Amino acid sequence: MKKTIIKNLIQSTLVCASVGGLLIACSDGSSSSGPQAKQLANGEACNAAWNAATAYNGGGAVSYSGRNYTAAFWTQNQSPATNSGAAGSGQPWTSGFTCVGGTPTPTPAPTPTPTPTPTPTPTPAPTPTPTCANWATGTNYPLGTVVKYVANGNYYKEVNAGTNGSDGTDPTVSTWYWSVSTCGSTPTPTPTPTPTPTPTPTPTPTPTCANWATGTNYPLGTVVKYVANGNYYKEVNAGTNGSDGTDPTVSTWYWSVSTCSGTPTPTPTPSGFVVTEAQFNQMFPQKVAFYTYSGLLTAMTYYPAFATTGTDTIRKQEAAAFFANVAQESDSLKAVREYNTANYNSYCSSGACGGKQYYGRGPIQLSWDYNYSSAGSAMGVDLLNNPDLVATDAAISWRTGLWYWMTGTGNAGTTPHNAMINSQGFGVTINAINGGLECNGKQPAEVQSRVNYYTSFTQILGVPTGSNLSC
């Protein structure tokens, strides 16, 4: 993920590298001994007052209620009064000395820190007997459990496990978690498909289609209009209750971009996007199947300013810059999850994350619990309690990359999007994404790798690179 904000824990134990195609998560590695963190004594001059709206990088110095504080890692909207501790405590702020002078710190309205939902205690798997327990909605069964699905009378055995066993999945929907079986736990040699409920007859398509409504279970074949982006979607697969209340912009299994008449739209390209699918495939010839072009296009509908601002050259330069940084972070779209599994439990800032893992996932390798929380809040998706959506839903995964591109500032003081549309140069985007670890001569090979990707991608799009390529 955006390694600019991986600061505290990794300072002493982890090193960011992508040498030889190996990806691990990043930490800034910046020292707390610089000028901003210099401690004088009680009664020293106050630093600038802390501001809830300002994003602070590691080493950032502020004052709050007559005391100086130093940021341990990237933080925003976390008050030093309630989020500080000794160095190495895992808190975003390190308390300094009392101070005098300066502007009094305004008292912001407290923003409660999201509390992870406690993981339900899995119900112990019953010992397989001629009578197997009935499957219960929302229960997290351990691997190997055999249950009876009352609605159709079939038995199912859990053959794969997620973060919490079966993760509460429905045996008739998820064939990865569950396999048709017998009560004795021996899988049925030839799984019998669960009969598809007879769908409600599809209404005859008309030039006017109903607007999609949250929580509604539509029958197979229904075409709806998604008001937020103006697109039409056709339900192409059905679950237990038709569309199962899914959002057309999130679930590409249930829904496909269509027209009001029900004819699928061949390529749902957002108006004005400057990279064709052929060019995208040319940039990433070895990408894994998860990173779909259609998933990217769906994600872009949430960020309409991306690669659509300014001249044609500027739009193409922004797209090339985004893909260049993505290529560096995700091993050219070959890494869906962080390669180094030894780090998977290392990204919990509070020290108690309820069994959830917040290691790097997606095109920018989103990591740390607070980043999953911030990205999820911005997107309206509960990523704090469902972090693996970033590695299982292509549209959500791409949205996390665009979320940081459009909102993150890192060490640059500006977003990568603004840096490109204002012609500040590709080097500023490097500083915004991973400047604390790579810029100012820290890792010149990593910086050059990003520049090489950018140069190649601008050539594919037929535009110049512009100046200020390095950081």
Side-chain angles (χ1 to χ4, degrees):
M1 133 89 233
K2 72 153 238 23
K3 301 178 184 67
T4 308
I5 50 185
I6 305 175
K7 307 280 184 190
N8 187 30
L9 178 60
I10 277 192
Q11 278 186 337
S12 61
T13 60
L14 304 178
V15 177
C16 171
S18 59
V19 180
L22 178 62
L23 286 187
I24 61 173
C26 300
S27 84
D28 192 312
S30 60
S31 170
S32 63
S33 62
Q36 287 184 316
K38 184 176 181 180
Q39 304 264 322
L40 298 177
N42 286 335
E44 66 183 25
C46 288
N47 297 322
W50 172 78
N51 189 312
T54 301
Y56 298 93
N57 293 305
V62 300
S63 64
Y64 188 95
S65 298
R67 181 172 293 277
N68 282 334
Y69 295 85
T70 303
F73 47 83
W74 185 94
T75 179
Q76 184 177 25
N77 197 25
Q78 292 180 290
S79 170
T82 56
N83 295 274
S84 63
S89 67
Q91 293 290 346
W93 294 102
T94 302
S95 178
F97 292 100
T98 58
C99 64
V100 295
T103 304
T105 303
T107 304
T111 301
T113 301
T115 302
T117 303
T119 303
T121 302
T123 303
T127 302
T129 65
T131 300
C132 296
N134 293 335
W135 174 79
T137 303
T139 302
N140 298 324
Y141 294 99
L143 186 68
T145 302
V146 178
V147 296
K148 180 178 181 179
Y149 197 78
V150 176
N152 61 20
N154 289 341
Y155 292 96
Y156 296 85
K157 179 178 181 179
E158 185 187 345
V159 294
N160 285 294
T163 306
N164 295 296
S166 64
D167 285 337
T169 53
D170 187 312
T172 66
V173 174
S174 176
T175 57
W176 186 83
Y177 285 92
W178 299 95
S179 175
V180 176
S181 184
T182 63
C183 192
S185 81
T186 302
T188 304
T190 303
T192 303
T194 302
T196 302
T198 303
T200 303
T202 305
T204 302
T206 64
T208 302
C209 296
N211 293 335
W212 175 79
T214 304
T216 302
N217 297 323
Y218 294 99
L220 186 68
T222 301
V223 179
V224 295
K225 180 177 181 180
Y226 196 77
V227 176
N229 61 20
N231 291 338
Y232 292 96
Y233 296 85
K234 181 177 181 179
E235 185 187 343
V236 293
N237 286 293
T240 307
N241 297 297
S243 63
D244 286 337
T246 52
D247 186 312
T249 65
V250 174
S251 176
T252 56
W253 186 82
Y254 286 91
W255 300 96
S256 176
V257 177
S258 182
T259 64
C260 191
S261 65
T263 304
T265 302
T267 304
T269 306
S271 175
F273 187 43
V274 293
V275 181
T276 66
E277 185 168 8
Q279 290 171 327
F280 174 74
N281 291 333
Q282 185 180 357
M283 292 175 180
F284 301 102
Q286 296 180 319
K287 69 179 181 64
V288 295
F290 173 73
Y291 290 114
T292 61
Y293 184 71
S294 61
L296 170 63
L297 299 182
T298 299
M300 286 175 57
T301 63
Y302 292 89
Y303 300 96
F306 170 70
T308 63
T309 307
T311 65
D312 183 66
T313 295
I314 289 177
R315 294 196 297 268
K316 290 179 179 179
Q317 286 174 338
E318 181 182 6
F322 172 73
F323 286 137
N325 283 290
V326 162
Q328 181 69 14
E329 296 290 323
S330 67
D331 190 19
S332 292
L333 294 182
K334 294 194 289 290
V336 178
R337 293 179 171 86
E338 182 177 335
Y339 287 154
N340 191 350
T341 58
N343 290 340
Y344 278 15
N345 291 315
S346 301
Y347 302 101
C348 179
S349 64
S350 67
C353 287
K356 305 293 185 184
Q357 295 176 315
Y358 301 100
Y359 55 83
R361 297 175 175 91
I364 62 164
Q365 295 288 282
L366 185 72
S367 54
W368 289 96
D369 51 338
Y370 45 82
N371 288 321
Y372 277 84
S373 177
S374 297
S377 296
M379 294 162 51
V381 179
D382 187 6
L383 296 182
L384 190 64
N385 288 304
N386 300 282
D388 215 41
L389 284 174
V390 182
T392 56
D393 189 302
I396 288 178
S397 190
W398 278 115
R399 283 175 68 184
T400 63
L402 289 173
W403 164 75
Y404 189 78
W405 184 263
M406 302 299 289
T407 64
T409 58
N411 281 1
T414 186
T415 66
H417 168 70
N418 287 333
M420 294 307 297
I421 67 173
N422 292 319
S423 299
Q424 293 175 277
F426 176 69
V428 179
T429 72
I430 303 175
N431 205 16
I433 290 177
N434 208 28
L437 285 171
E438 296 179 10
C439 294
N440 300 316
K442 294 177 182 177
Q443 293 192 53
E446 301 296 312
V447 172
Q448 188 58 49
S449 178
R450 294 179 192 265
V451 174
N452 291 344
Y453 280 126
Y454 176 64
T455 301
S456 174
F457 294 166
T458 53
Q459 290 173 349
I460 290 174
L461 297 179
V463 293
T465 61
S467 59
N468 191 24
L469 297 183
S470 182
C471 65

